[in-house]
């Protein structure tokens, strides 16, 4: 089994060594195992430790017993998230060799349980970098108070290795400076959602498809559970447009994309047109249709599971760094649960791990 040393060896202990009764690795390992085994908060960590004392004693130094609720609370409040975040990155890298030719999705999520408790505090908002193909989080960045994702995105891009990847970001990240950073600094490609917040660029792209109307397209159809959706994707190479119709100021821009969605949910129809900008020069519309669809995997496979499988929004831990550190531990737990090769849902895997030590060991190791 992976020991605490292998999982959390690089995490810096914020406590004074002479006052510590419990090694930091013990606290973090029990916290992670609790998350895997259907636990949610500091009280659950104590219960898990007490109920699994003999098993834990085989791999941990429990000479001072199981840490108390207050100990778990204090440590996770004081622990620097960037130190614990390295464990998340390293855990992801063990499961993912390289991001070359993979789609890396950047998107944010607010932890609803972390309510503002003082003037000017907007709560905790986390921007994550997600590899949808492998269901792995390779980095995250806290969005600071009185700020937004636009300032957090460059910091996140600087913290992860992206060479050869295609970075997809929603409309808030559709900025010239971010496009330039992805192509020049990160040696990667971009796929940016374009909306009317970029008024001039949006108008130029909209007019390009209105006047040129490409004949080549890709049609994707999804049908099931009372929902049917058709997505038609057409593309235009920037090189094919007359000079006066060129979209300038966007570093590396090669292709503009239009996706027309027609959705029918239980008889109710809705239509939507979305535009994207890409630094890639692939001539097959299906490729861009898959990128647009793949972008939503961060909502379906990460944010949804944090909320529903791990009940993150109900967590009331909010003091100092506790909410952010618990979010990181949940992501490590989710990555390891997702690796299991069985037919159980992720929620059922957590339940089974809480009753079967061998199954828990197979998740952790």
């Amino acid at each position: 089994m992976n020991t605490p040393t292998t999982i959390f060896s690089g995490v810096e202990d914020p406590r004074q060594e002479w006052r510590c009764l419990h090694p930091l690795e013990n606290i973090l390992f029990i916290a992670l195992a609790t998350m895997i085994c259907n636990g949610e908060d500091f009280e659950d960590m104590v219960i898990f430790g007490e109920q699994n004392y003999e098993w834990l004693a085989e791999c941990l130094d429990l000479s001072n017993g199981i840490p108390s609720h207050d100990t778990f609370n204090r440590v996770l409040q004081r622990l620097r998230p960037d130190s614990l975040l390295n464990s998340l990155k390293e855990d992801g890298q063990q499961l993912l060799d390289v991001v070359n030719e993979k789609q890396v999705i950047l998107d944010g999520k607010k932890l609803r349980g972390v309510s503002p408790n003082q003037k000017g505090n907007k709560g905790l908002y986390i921007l994550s970098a997600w590899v949808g193909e492998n269901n792995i989080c390779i980095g995250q960045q806290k969005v600071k108070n009185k700020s937004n994702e636009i300032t957090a995105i460059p910091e996140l891009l600087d913290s992860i290795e992206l060479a050869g990847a295609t970075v997809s970001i929603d409309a808030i990240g559709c900025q010239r400076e971010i496009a330039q950073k992805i192509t020049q600094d990160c040696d990667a490609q971009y796929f940016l959602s374009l909306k009317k917040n970029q008024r001039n660029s949006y108008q130029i792209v909209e007019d390009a498809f209105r006047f040129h109307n490409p004949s080549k397209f890709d049609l994707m159809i999804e049908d099931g559970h009372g929902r049917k959706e058709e997505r038609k994707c057409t593309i235009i190479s920037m090189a094919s447009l007359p000079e006066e119709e060129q979209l300038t100021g966007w570093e590396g821009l090669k292709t503009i994309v239009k996706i027309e969605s027609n959705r029918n949910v239980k008889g109710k129809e809705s239509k939507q047109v979305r535009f994207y900008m890409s630094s890639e020069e692939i001539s097959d519309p299906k490729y861009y249709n898959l990128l647009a669809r793949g972008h939503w995997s961060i909502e379906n496979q990460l944010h949804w599971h944090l909320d529903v499988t791990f009940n993150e929004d109900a967590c009331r831990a909010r003091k100092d760094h506790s909410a952010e550190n618990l979010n990181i531990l949940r992501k490590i737990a989710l990555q390891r649960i997702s690796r299991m090769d069985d037919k159980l849902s992720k929620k059922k895997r957590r339940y089974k791990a809480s009753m079967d030590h061998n199954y828990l060991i197979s998740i952790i190791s």
Side-chain angles (χ1 to χ4, degrees):
M1 182 176 71
N2 273 9
T3 66
T5 303
T6 60
I7 299 176
F8 300 114
S9 58
V11 181
E12 183 179 343
D13 197 333
R15 303 169 297 168
Q16 294 177 320
E17 186 176 353
W18 62 273
R19 299 180 62 182
C20 300
L21 293 176
H22 306 281
L24 179 63
E25 291 85 354
N26 287 17
I27 295 170
L28 295 177
F29 185 82
I30 294 173
L32 175 62
T34 301
M35 293 291 184
I36 292 173
C37 293
N38 235 15
E40 297 176 3
D41 53 28
F42 305 124
E43 290 90 348
D44 291 344
M45 294 172 191
V46 177
I47 295 171
F48 175 85
E50 292 174 345
Q51 294 297 313
N52 295 275
Y53 184 90
E54 292 183 2
W55 176 74
L56 290 169
E58 295 177 4
C59 60
L60 303 178
D61 174 14
L62 297 181
S63 54
N64 289 312
I66 299 298
S68 68
H69 158 271
D70 288 338
T71 299
F72 283 111
N73 195 351
R74 282 195 305 269
V75 170
L76 288 169
Q77 283 177 17
R78 296 177 57 193
L79 188 67
R80 286 175 47 228
D82 58 344
S83 182
L84 184 59
L85 182 58
N86 287 330
S87 295
L88 173 65
K89 293 179 181 178
E90 290 171 7
D91 192 63
Q93 288 300 325
Q94 290 177 11
L95 310 179
L96 177 69
D97 293 333
V98 291
V99 296
N100 186 42
E101 298 186 356
K102 293 183 183 291
Q103 182 179 9
V104 178
I105 304 149
L106 271 55
D107 195 33
K109 176 184 182 294
K110 185 180 186 299
L111 275 66
R112 295 177 185 172
V114 186
S115 302
N117 55 16
Q118 60 186 21
K119 187 175 181 181
N121 183 4
K122 298 180 180 180
L124 182 61
Y125 201 86
I126 299 291
L127 180 70
S128 300
W130 177 254
V131 182
E133 182 180 340
N134 302 89
N135 288 341
I136 290 173
C137 184
I138 59 172
Q140 70 177 47
Q141 180 68 42
K142 176 183 176 181
V143 179
K144 299 179 178 65
N145 287 339
K146 301 181 181 180
S147 181
N148 58 35
E149 288 184 48
I150 296 176
T151 58
I153 288 172
E155 296 176 4
L156 179 55
L157 292 173
D158 283 336
S159 70
I160 53 181
E161 175 58 50
L162 290 169
T166 297
V167 180
S168 63
I169 316 177
D170 208 350
I172 195 169
C174 187
Q175 308 289 330
R176 287 172 173 82
E177 296 80 6
I178 292 174
Q180 181 176 354
K181 187 171 189 64
I182 291 172
T183 53
Q184 292 190 352
D185 298 348
C186 302
D187 192 24
Q189 306 290 346
Y190 61 75
F191 182 73
L192 305 178
S193 176
L194 176 64
K195 293 185 179 178
K196 293 182 180 179
N197 61 326
Q198 293 285 347
R199 185 178 302 175
N200 292 336
S201 297
Y202 187 93
Q203 188 64 57
I204 291 172
V205 170
E206 187 177 43
D207 288 345
F209 280 97
R210 179 184 298 135
F211 296 122
H212 294 278
N213 192 23
S215 58
K216 187 178 180 181
F217 67 90
D218 176 69
L219 183 64
M220 294 181 66
I221 301 175
E222 293 183 2
D223 192 357
H225 305 288
R227 173 180 172 275
K228 182 176 181 179
E229 183 175 7
E230 296 181 356
R231 290 188 294 272
K232 179 183 177 182
C233 177
T234 52
I235 62 174
I236 295 176
S237 169
M238 291 302 296
S240 69
L241 294 176
E243 185 175 350
E244 63 272 15
E245 296 181 27
Q246 291 283 334
L247 183 58
T248 60
W250 294 90
E251 183 72 27
L253 177 61
K254 297 291 194 306
T255 307
I256 54 177
V257 181
K258 178 182 181 181
I259 295 182
E260 301 167 90
S261 299
N262 190 343
R263 180 181 299 180
N264 187 309
V265 181
K266 297 180 180 179
K268 186 177 180 179
E269 288 195 11
S270 61
K271 295 183 179 181
Q272 184 182 30
V273 176
R274 291 170 287 161
F275 295 106
Y276 299 86
M277 299 190 300
S278 173
S279 60
E280 298 188 87
E281 206 168 10
I282 295 173
S283 60
D284 186 358
K286 183 176 182 179
Y287 174 75
Y288 302 97
N289 219 352
L290 289 171
L291 283 180
R293 181 178 181 271
H295 182 83
W296 294 105
S297 71
I298 192 170
E299 291 289 345
N300 300 331
Q301 299 298 327
L302 178 61
H303 296 163
W304 189 88
H305 280 295
L306 289 175
D307 286 342
V308 177
T309 305
F310 286 84
N311 203 23
E312 181 171 72
D313 278 351
C315 181
R316 291 297 180 263
R318 65 189 68 173
K319 189 174 180 181
D320 298 327
H321 300 306
S322 57
E324 191 172 356
N325 284 325
L326 288 172
N327 173 264
I328 294 171
L329 288 172
R330 290 186 195 102
K331 287 175 177 173
I332 296 175
L334 177 60
Q335 285 181 173
R336 290 179 170 266
I337 290 169
S338 299
R339 289 190 310 164
M340 298 305 293
D341 186 18
D342 56 37
K343 295 183 179 180
L344 297 176
S345 68
K346 293 179 178 63
K347 194 174 185 70
K348 296 297 184 184
R349 288 173 186 174
R350 294 185 76 202
Y351 183 59
K352 182 176 180 179
S354 70
M355 299 184 295
D356 185 343
H357 283 156
N358 289 331
Y359 191 73
L360 173 59
I361 290 171
S362 66
I363 291 175
I364 293 176
S365 61

